[in-house]
């Protein structure tokens, strides 16, 4: 996979915060020069107080689209189970227009059982949820091609997950970005699996950007090594209610140094 410029993303976790704090976090992310701001698609907090403050994903993305002017935005990731695929395509196109062409459609098969049980969705199994994702992706593509007005651009699709038989094949077939939590030798192995799926479907693997979760690591610990493996989009979680961007500044300095040296 060819070398790409490094990009830095933040996942602004929409939990345990008032919306004013989330709005301010998005503003600060854009002002700092972050490349992408993600939220997530859940209905309850994933950590801390399980019944704590929380906000919905896609209505928030529409607000971010109006609030911002440069940064790309998206969900890391949308749960395929929560919305009809044709509706999701229309929501995606709409937020794409609101943002002036800055939306990334991040999508995955879903995993957080509490969301399903509390909101009345069938949880099923990991296999049935993946099969549903596989069926939804072509429907989303087809609907995007029929909407009037059409999207402002070919909306980048990000698929999250690491399943080698199904998920990575979906990435080869449909994704522009693959988001993974894999590291080191495991990441190398999964990139090899993805390359094979790309060969099987006639896709150039260099078309797919590799996105990794940098967690709380520093660029010196994590960035150079994973860039050498092929990653170019590094995502940092930023938790509420305080949304501390201090670690993000280190990553932005590293990004600028790396991209400047390779220019």
């Amino acid at each position: 996979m060819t070398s790409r410029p490094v990009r830095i993303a933040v996942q602004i976790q929409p939990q345990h915060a008032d919306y004013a704090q989330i709005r301010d976090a998005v503003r600060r992310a854009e002002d700092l020069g972050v490349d992408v701001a993600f939220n997530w698609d859940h209905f309850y907090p994933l950590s801390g107080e399980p019944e704590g403050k929380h906000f919905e994903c896609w209505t928030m993305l529409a607000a971010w689209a109006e609030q911002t002017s440069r940064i790309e935005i998206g969900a890391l990731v949308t749960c395929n189970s929560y919305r009809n695929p044709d509706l999701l395509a229309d929501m995606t196109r709409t937020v794409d227009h609101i943002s002036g062409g800055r939306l990334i459609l991040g999508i995955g098969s879903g995993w957080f059982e509490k969301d399903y049980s509390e909101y009345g969705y069938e949880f099923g199994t990991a296999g049935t949820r993946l099969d549903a994702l596989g069926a939804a992706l072509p429907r989303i593509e087809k609907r995007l091609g029929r909407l009037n007005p059409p999207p402002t651009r070919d909306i980048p699709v990000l698929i999250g997950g690491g399943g080698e038989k199904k998920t990575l094949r979906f990435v080869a077939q449909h994704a522009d970005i693959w988001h993974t939590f894999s590291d080191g030798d495991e990441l190398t192995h999964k990139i090899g699996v993805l390359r094979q799926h790309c060969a099987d479907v006639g896709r150039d693997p260099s078309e797919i950007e590799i996105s990794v979760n940098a967690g709380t690591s520093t660029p010196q610990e994590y960035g150079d090594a994973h860039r050498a493996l092929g990653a170019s989009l590094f995502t940092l979680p930023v938790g509420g209610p305080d949304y501390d961007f201090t670690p993000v500044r280190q990553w932005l300095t590293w990004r600028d140094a790396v991209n400047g040296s390779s220019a």
Side-chain angles (χ1 to χ4, degrees), residues 4 18 22 25 28 52 59-60 62 75 85 120 143 171 183 197 202 212 253 258:
R4 295 169 175 263
D18 294 325
I22 296 172
R28 287 188 285 140
T59 43
M60 183 184 301
R143 179 60 58 184
V171 172
D183 290 315
H197 282 305
V212 292
T253 299
V258 168

Side-chain angles (χ1 to χ4, degrees), residues 40-63:
W40 66 32
D41 189 18
H42 295 288
F43 305 131
Y44 293 90
L46 298 187
S47 61
E49 169 53 51
E51 301 294 325
K53 295 175 181 177
H54 201 279
F55 290 97
E56 193 275 329
C57 169
W58 274 87
T59 43
M60 183 184 301
L61 287 176

Side-chain angles (χ1 to χ4, degrees), residues 57-66 73-74 88-104 152 155:
C57 169
W58 274 87
T59 43
M60 183 184 301
L61 287 176
W64 289 9
E66 195 66 68
I73 59 173
L88 179 59
D90 203 342
M91 293 166 62
T92 298
R93 181 278 311 253
T94 299
V95 178
D96 164 67
H97 274 263
I98 297 169
S99 69
R102 293 180 290 113
L103 181 75
I104 295 170
T152 66
I155 297 172

Side-chain angles (χ1 to χ4, degrees), residues 218-239:
T218 67
Q220 291 72 31
E221 295 170 326
Y222 189 93
D224 290 329
H226 286 78
R227 181 171 179 265
L229 294 177
S232 60
L233 179 57
F234 295 81
T235 298
L236 306 168
V238 184

Side-chain angles (χ1 to χ4, degrees), residues 7-248:
R7 302 200 294 161
I8 301 300
V10 292
Q11 185 185 51
I12 297 173
Q13 300 171 351
Q15 59 179 8
H16 309 305
D18 294 325
Y19 188 71
Q21 293 170 304
I22 296 172
R23 182 193 301 116
D24 179 66
V26 176
R27 177 191 61 78
R28 287 188 285 140
E30 182 161 67
D31 288 349
L32 281 171
V34 167
D35 296 291
V36 187
F38 293 115
N39 60 8
W40 66 32
D41 189 18
H42 295 288
F43 305 131
Y44 293 90
L46 298 187
S47 61
E49 169 53 51
E51 301 294 325
K53 295 175 181 177
H54 201 279
F55 290 97
E56 193 275 329
C57 169
W58 274 87
T59 43
M60 183 184 301
L61 287 176
W64 289 9
E66 195 66 68
Q67 174 191 346
T68 56
S69 61
R70 180 196 59 80
I71 201 168
E72 287 194 294
I73 59 173
L76 193 63
V77 290
T78 304
C79 176
N80 176 65
S81 306
Y82 300 159
R83 299 163 192 88
N84 171 285
D86 292 86
L87 171 62
L88 179 59
D90 203 342
M91 293 166 62
T92 298
R93 181 278 311 253
T94 299
V95 178
D96 164 67
H97 274 263
I98 297 169
S99 69
R102 293 180 290 113
L103 181 75
I104 295 170
L105 174 57
I107 192 166
S109 60
W111 63 273
F112 189 43
E113 188 170 5
K114 181 175 180 177
D115 283 347
Y116 286 78
S117 59
E118 290 283 348
Y119 278 56
Y121 296 103
E122 181 179 351
F123 189 57
T125 67
T128 61
R129 294 193 300 276
L130 276 168
D131 289 342
L133 175 62
L137 288 164
R139 284 182 59 185
I140 291 169
E141 292 172 355
K142 183 177 180 181
R143 179 60 58 184
L144 285 171
R146 296 174 61 188
L147 291 169
N148 184 17
T152 66
R153 64 171 178 168
D154 289 334
I155 297 172
V157 174
L158 177 155
I159 295 178
E164 295 180 11
K165 292 183 179 180
K166 294 182 180 179
T167 302
L168 290 180
R169 186 171 181 86
F170 299 158
V171 172
Q173 292 171 317
H174 302 284
D176 303 283
I177 307 169
W178 170 48
H179 183 77
T180 176
F181 286 86
S182 298
D183 290 315
D185 291 343
E186 182 184 38
L187 178 57
T188 299
H189 168 72
K190 288 187 183 293
I191 289 173
V193 174
L194 177 58
R195 284 180 178 274
Q196 184 58 56
H197 282 305
C198 286
D200 292 343
V201 301
R203 180 91 185 273
D204 180 353
S206 68
E207 296 175 357
I208 301 170
E209 183 174 21
I210 299 175
S211 167
V212 292
N213 184 74
T216 58
S217 64
T218 67
Q220 291 72 31
E221 295 170 326
Y222 189 93
D224 290 329
H226 286 78
R227 181 171 179 265
L229 294 177
S232 60
L233 179 57
F234 295 81
T235 298
L236 306 168
V238 184
D242 298 327
Y243 296 110
D244 180 10
F245 283 87
T246 302
V248 178

